[in-house]
Amino acid sequence: MTSAQPPLADNDCYLALKARDARFDGSFFTGVTSTGIYCRPVCSVKTPKRENCRFFSHAAQAESAGFRPCLRCRPELAPHSVVWSIQDASYILAHQAARLLDEPEDIAPTLVASRTTLPPEGAGLAWGGPALRPSGLALQEPTVAKLAARLGVSDRHVRRIFEAQFGVSPMQYLQTRRLHTAKQLLADTSLPITQVALISGYASVRRFNAAFVEHYKLNPTQLRRQGVSDAGQANGAAPGITIRLGYRPPYDVAAMLAFFSQRTIHAIEFVAADAQHPSIGRTFRVESGGKVHAGWLLAAFDEARSRLVLNVSDSLREVLPLVIRRVRATFDLDADPAAINSVLHAGFPQGDGLRVPGALDGYELAVRAVLGQQITVAAARTLAQRMVDRFGEPVQTPWPQLTRLFPAPAVLAAASGDALGQLGIVRQRQAAIVGIAQAVADKRLQLHSGADVHATLEALKALPGIGDWTAQYIAMRALRWPDAFPAGDVALHKAMGVQGLKNPAREAELASNAWKPWRSYAVIRAWSGTLERPG
């Protein structure tokens, strides 16, 4: 079965288009045959005639059909379409492949130590050959063969299930992702075109230009000149590079900020719950291509436009696509409330806008999860603060509230029991923290949304001091698994009314079957007190 058609019937898509309904942003795209342009449902241009509209589930399908992206609504700003199944194996495999293409660290880890020649002409859009990164290192790009090997299936099977699910090949999907990244950087930033090309994954500016002309009928310079950009409107003269990221309403911004505020560690993060400009500031470290990049970011919600305005330090420009993906995951910008609420609304009628808070750094989240084992949020925050004060690395930012980075994996991997004990961390948690840090530092453990969920859960539980609660919590927030469920959580037992039963974890697990495949969202709603129990 192909998923070339959007989840809504064509007539329903047209009604959503006429209403400019932001709830369906990113769920489908409209190709207008009279103009050759494709748009988001929220586009402000005059609604085209019904007979001139074709509807697509993914932007890559629209581009494969010959449509160019609208310069007004900018399809690259739309939230991604994230649907989940727990039954269809081909469906699960195809979406896992897409996530790996979105977060390629797991399938392109090979570095070439010295500069290498660019791929020969005709080798494809950086597939299979080394792309010259801005840092001067050559990074082996993802190939279908590497993708298949990572998934444990054949090349042919990956292509078949991918095209059946998305209506395009893996190469077309990746190419659209890269073009959208480049288009967003051209419209939102003043980065030189050469840097935009390299950051977006192109091996040469000539190939970058050729791809733009082929797909958009404009070269990058023309697109930057003709594009409609509102750069600078939201944040004025804010420092760093500004990027805009869309999401689908409803979104409970206050609840998201409250969650992070309760867990704030001074010097590495701050939360500003200003009614007009709610925002979160963070220091951030990310490794890509064997190089560590460190800097800061500021994420401000623009609720009137259903978007997040992101400012990123110049030191992170080389890894902007990765930063954008991590931010989208951290604030759960790609969630589909309609799909989630169709399962959960009856049990949580007041929780329609709640999202699952993620993490910029899965390793940091895992360490903080261990610190929070069997103690209160406030007590865990105290231990984490001591750890940052003792082991955190200084960093310069425009904000006096942001002065340090969370301790690097190699630092905690080498930390002695005495040093950790002086912070008030008990011996069992010391072993767990060192085990996580060593596994991440040695590249044996990947903690991001592209990682294999079940293999990672088993790897986590094999480490000392990591049980099911901690592993499920990490899967929920770092791996972005929508069906994670920490069945042993005491607060969850109280919310579900099973704390007095003989085996509350088993009872909670049984009751949670009604919430599949969105149990992570159910947990957040139960923790927030929105669960409505019968009787």
Side-chain angles (χ1 to χ4, degrees):
M1 181 181 71
T2 180
S3 289
Q5 293 298 316
L8 295 174
D10 283 0
N11 287 336
D12 292 333
C13 288
Y14 189 68
L15 290 175
L17 177 66
K18 288 175 62 178
R20 297 185 175 87
D21 195 330
R23 294 176 300 170
F24 299 100
D25 192 14
S27 297
F28 70 89
F29 296 89
T30 304
V32 183
T33 57
S34 58
T35 63
I37 301 293
Y38 75 93
C39 297
R40 298 158 64 188
V42 296
C43 191
S44 61
V45 300
K46 181 180 179 181
T47 303
K49 295 180 180 179
R50 173 65 182 84
E51 59 267 25
N52 293 336
C53 295
R54 291 180 59 189
F55 301 101
F56 303 92
S57 294
H58 304 281
Q61 295 168 354
E63 297 200 2
S64 180
F67 292 94
R68 305 186 307 278
C70 176
L71 296 181
R72 183 178 296 274
C73 69
R74 298 177 55 194
E76 72 272 13
L77 299 185
H80 300 164
S81 181
V82 179
V83 188
W84 195 261
S85 170
I86 58 174
Q87 296 176 331
D88 187 333
S90 295
Y91 181 101
I92 294 171
L93 190 65
H95 280 265
Q96 187 177 359
R99 287 195 299 274
L100 286 171
L101 291 174
D102 289 340
E103 184 109 21
E105 286 91 341
D106 279 357
I107 55 174
T110 307
L111 280 172
V112 181
S114 61
R115 289 182 180 268
T116 63
T117 58
L118 294 175
E121 292 301 320
L125 289 171
W127 275 70
L132 192 63
R133 308 305 295 169
S135 62
L137 290 173
L139 180 64
Q140 294 291 335
E141 294 287 332
T143 66
V144 177
K146 289 180 180 178
L147 181 63
R150 176 66 178 79
L151 295 170
V153 297
S154 68
D155 300 14
R156 181 180 178 184
H157 187 57
V158 166
R159 291 189 179 93
R160 183 179 63 81
I161 60 101
F162 202 96
E163 291 182 14
Q165 182 60 47
F166 295 105
V168 294
S169 69
M171 178 182 290
Q172 290 170 319
Y173 179 92
L174 181 62
Q175 180 169 264
T176 298
R177 277 280 191 259
R178 286 176 168 170
L179 286 170
H180 276 196
T181 297
K183 186 172 177 293
Q184 182 169 18
L185 296 181
L186 288 169
D188 280 353
T189 77
S190 59
L191 293 173
I193 288 176
T194 300
Q195 291 189 16
V196 171
L198 295 174
I199 290 169
S200 302
Y202 287 92
S204 72
V205 175
R206 184 168 64 174
R207 291 186 180 182
F208 178 59
N209 287 336
F212 258 79
V213 171
E214 178 184 355
H215 286 80
Y216 299 158
K217 312 305 179 189
L218 294 170
N219 65 40
T221 302
Q222 292 171 318
L223 188 143
R224 170 170 274 175
R225 186 163 54 244
Q226 295 186 21
V228 178
S229 175
D230 56 358
Q233 289 183 6
N235 276 21
I241 302 165
T242 301
I243 301 292
R244 287 155 185 80
L245 309 173
Y247 60 81
R248 302 178 188 92
Y251 191 119
D252 193 333
V253 173
M256 179 65 76
L257 292 178
F259 185 94
F260 283 115
S261 181
Q262 291 169 1
R263 294 159 177 79
T264 298
I265 301 175
H266 300 300
I268 70 169
E269 57 195 351
F270 69 83
V271 176
D274 182 278
Q276 291 185 331
H277 302 288
S279 60
I280 294 180
R282 274 277 336 202
T283 60
F284 181 45
R285 179 194 294 108
V286 61
E287 181 177 350
S288 180
K291 182 179 178 181
V292 175
H293 304 262
W296 54 265
L297 59 83
L298 178 70
F301 284 91
D302 182 356
E303 295 184 72
R305 301 186 184 186
S306 297
R307 68 182 185 181
L308 189 78
V309 181
L310 175 67
N311 286 94
V312 183
S313 66
D314 191 67
S315 59
L316 295 171
R317 70 166 59 198
E318 293 181 16
V319 288
L320 267 179
L322 177 57
V323 172
I324 290 171
R325 287 194 298 273
R326 296 289 175 87
V327 169
R328 296 201 70 91
T330 297
F331 297 103
D332 202 9
L333 300 183
D334 295 321
D336 184 348
I340 298 166
N341 293 334
S342 68
V343 176
L344 300 183
H345 177 80
F348 305 90
Q350 305 302 316
D352 286 357
L354 293 176
R355 305 290 176 103
V356 176
L360 285 170
D361 185 346
Y363 147 74
E364 176 189 325
L365 184 278
V367 171
R368 294 172 69 164
V370 169
L371 292 175
Q373 290 175 344
Q374 299 179 334
I375 59 176
T376 65
V377 171
R381 185 177 63 239
T382 298
L383 293 177
Q385 187 69 62
R386 293 172 183 170
M387 178 178 286
V388 168
D389 293 342
R390 171 67 176 81
F391 294 105
E393 176 185 345
V395 65
Q396 291 187 342
T397 77
W399 290 277
Q401 307 99 307
L402 302 178
T403 58
R404 302 183 79 80
L405 294 162
F406 192 82
V411 172
L412 291 186
S416 68
D418 287 342
L420 293 174
Q422 290 172 5
L423 305 180
I425 302 172
V426 300
R427 191 177 303 276
Q428 183 180 22
R429 290 180 198 133
Q430 293 174 20
I433 290 168
V434 171
I436 290 171
Q438 289 176 341
V440 171
D442 296 342
K443 305 295 189 295
R444 292 182 286 112
L445 187 63
Q446 299 287 336
L447 297 174
H448 56 69
S449 61
D452 181 282
V453 171
H454 297 289
T456 305
L457 284 173
E458 293 305 313
L460 284 168
K461 288 188 282 189
L463 295 173
I466 304 292
D468 185 69
W469 180 92
T470 305
Q472 292 286 332
Y473 185 77
I474 293 170
M476 180 172 71
R477 295 193 56 199
L479 306 187
R480 306 307 301 157
W481 188 30
D483 202 42
F485 190 74
D489 185 79
V490 175
L492 189 59
H493 296 166
K494 292 180 180 178
M496 298 178 68
V498 299
Q499 73 272 30
L501 301 181
K502 182 177 181 180
N503 191 334
R506 185 181 63 184
E507 296 298 329
E509 185 78 39
L510 290 173
S512 74
N513 287 329
W515 301 330
K516 290 184 175 183
W518 306 110
R519 292 189 296 175
S520 290
Y521 292 87
V523 170
I524 293 296
R525 297 178 190 207
W527 282 345
S528 72
T530 65
L531 174 61
E532 189 170 281
R533 295 197 300 270

